[in-house]
Amino acid sequence: MQKTWLVVAATMVASSVAFGQSAKVDPASIQSEIQRIEKNPAPGPNGEAPVLASSITLTDQDLQKIRGMKAKAAIVMHYTASDWAKAQMKGQRDAFEKMGVQIIAVTDAGYKAERQVADIETVLAKKPDIIITAPAEETATADAYRRAARQGVKIVFIDQTAKGLVAGKDYVSLVSSDNRGMGEISALLMASALQGKGEIGLIPHASDIFATRERLVGFKKAIAAFPGIKVVATQGVGGPDFTGEAERAASAMLTEHPRMNGIWAVWDVPAEGVLSAARSSGRDNDLTVTTCDLGANIAIDMAQNGFVKGTGSQRPYGAGYVEGQLAGYALLGKAAPPYVVLPALAVTKANIAPAWKAANGTEPPSNVVASLK
């Protein structure tokens, strides 16, 4: 069968546009660069060519075959409480419902690798055909995933793989949003809000995880095009209390650097801590915050002209849906690309409502809608 995957050339073109040459930022150039990023997702963790999620399809005949298999699936998450995780799991459930796949377990490791290893052992006793999973850590969970693979379970990874496992042999595919692109977009939105000039702090993820590491790489790459913006402080957060840790980190930064104009947080949950620190420090919306992902609290602050001026978001509902489809590929014995990517999504106040639907697969919640009025 001829493969029709849409492979995107991830050419990291050296930026030569005018916006990085002076403190005055050109909005048209910023928008052009964002559009370039959205069309050119970065490679996977092992240099895999990114294949667009829109290329993954199942025919009516495929779906009929899968329904006849009466397959069982487990969802093994590093955590389930965030807007991101809820949207991911909604996409997975919708895909499984269409395929007639029964979900027999959903687990939440609370970001703890040892708990996830125990979760995998518990799930394997239920004899699933499929595991869709976001590893809490790349190395500590690897043996547990290998045991699952040896038992014939079809594994689809979210955002990162377990270390040492091989695509097509030990797991079906890795699905992720373009995290480097998300970081780049959040940097461009920061630079635009600051008009290319100021002091900023960074709050990355303290753990060495591909998805969040890529966001920091992307942010630093893009912000370097603006010589008037200086990174004066960096403090990682390791969790599990990402909001509290980020609040303390941001408070310390604002105390040490009272002229700080902006803070970037690696995703929306730490960004909520930055907002708390800004309010406690008496900053009256004179601090620019950008982040990655689009949770409700970030959307509300942005809608109310608060600290948040933009985010480079994932598309978690779409990711969850294609994860389910890829499990279907494995059940049918169809070859799957090793790395499937969803483009980054730039979000500002101007497009919160349609961006929410594009990212999360639902209309915005009532509290977000109320904030837009």
Side-chain angles (χ1 to χ4, degrees), residues 8-364:
V8 180
T11 53
M12 305 309 292
V13 181
S15 177
S16 60
V17 292
F19 60 68
Q21 304 305 313
S22 67
K24 193 69 174 176
V25 169
D26 174 17
S29 295
I30 289 281
Q31 185 58 34
S32 176
E33 184 68 357
I34 286 174
Q35 290 172 352
R36 183 195 68 78
I37 292 164
E38 290 175 334
K39 294 176 182 177
N40 291 276
N46 303 302
E48 302 96 332
V51 174
L52 289 179
S54 57
S55 301
I56 306 303
T57 59
L58 292 170
T59 66
D60 289 342
Q61 185 178 17
D62 290 335
L63 293 171
Q64 186 175 356
K65 288 180 181 178
I66 295 169
R67 291 187 198 108
M69 296 177 184
K70 307 293 185 186
K72 298 183 293 184
I75 299 171
V76 178
M77 298 294 285
H78 51 359
Y79 72 108
T80 62
S82 71
D83 292 325
W84 173 89
K86 292 171 185 174
Q88 278 266 349
M89 292 188 293
K90 184 180 187 308
Q92 294 160 5
R93 289 189 176 101
D94 285 355
F96 284 146
E97 182 178 359
K98 197 168 184 179
M99 295 188 296
V101 173
Q102 179 189 3
I103 298 173
I104 58 172
V106 178
T107 66
D108 181 343
Y111 292 107
K112 296 184 182 300
E114 64 274 15
R115 186 185 301 175
Q116 191 168 58
V117 169
D119 288 342
I120 294 168
E121 293 302 319
T122 299
V123 161
L124 288 178
K126 299 175 186 270
K127 301 189 181 305
D129 302 290
I130 299 158
I131 290 178
I132 293 182
T133 181
E137 200 273 337
E138 293 175 331
T139 302
T141 60
D143 285 343
Y145 286 118
R146 284 194 192 93
R147 285 193 292 275
R150 285 197 296 267
Q151 290 185 29
V153 178
K154 314 300 185 185
I155 301 172
V156 179
F157 282 118
I158 306 169
D159 278 352
Q160 68 172 350
T161 64
K163 197 171 185 63
L165 274 69
V166 178
K169 175 178 175 288
D170 303 311
Y171 67 93
V172 179
S173 186
L174 168 65
V175 179
S176 181
S177 289
D178 177 22
N179 287 281
R180 190 182 303 179
M182 290 159 56
E184 289 181 294
I185 286 170
S186 60
L188 293 171
L189 295 174
M190 172 77 76
S192 179
L194 296 179
Q195 283 295 292
K197 186 176 181 180
E199 294 183 355
I200 64 171
L202 310 182
I203 300 183
H205 192 190
S207 298
D208 188 22
I209 291 175
F210 170 71
T212 50
R213 182 174 67 242
E214 281 283 280
R215 297 178 192 186
L216 180 62
V217 168
F219 185 92
K220 286 184 170 181
K221 173 183 179 292
I223 210 70
F226 301 89
I229 297 178
K230 306 298 182 186
V231 177
V232 296
T234 302
Q235 176 62 56
V237 291
D241 181 15
F242 288 102
T243 302
E245 286 186 39
E247 181 176 3
R248 292 187 289 275
S251 293
M253 288 179 183
L254 292 170
T255 298
E256 185 176 354
H257 303 279
R259 295 167 51 195
M260 184 172 283
N261 308 97
I263 296 180
W264 174 81
V266 65
W267 75 87
D268 59 323
V269 176
E272 292 176 15
V274 175
L275 301 186
S276 295
R279 295 183 189 110
S280 298
S281 299
R283 302 300 291 260
D284 187 19
N285 292 355
D286 62 339
L287 181 77
T288 291
V289 176
T290 65
T291 187
C292 299
D293 295 341
L294 184 62
N297 292 332
I298 294 305
I300 289 168
D301 183 86
M302 196 168 9
Q304 294 177 337
N305 296 315
F307 297 100
V308 181
K309 303 307 179 189
T311 178
S313 179
Q314 296 187 66
R315 302 169 189 258
Y317 174 82
Y321 195 88
V322 79
E323 288 150 17
Q325 288 181 305
L326 286 164
Y329 270 45
L331 291 171
L332 294 169
K334 291 178 62 171
Y339 182 58
V340 176
V341 67
L342 292 92
L345 175 64
V347 187
T348 64
K349 181 181 178 179
N351 69 330
I352 290 174
W356 184 279
K357 189 169 184 178
N360 298 312
T362 62
E363 297 295 336

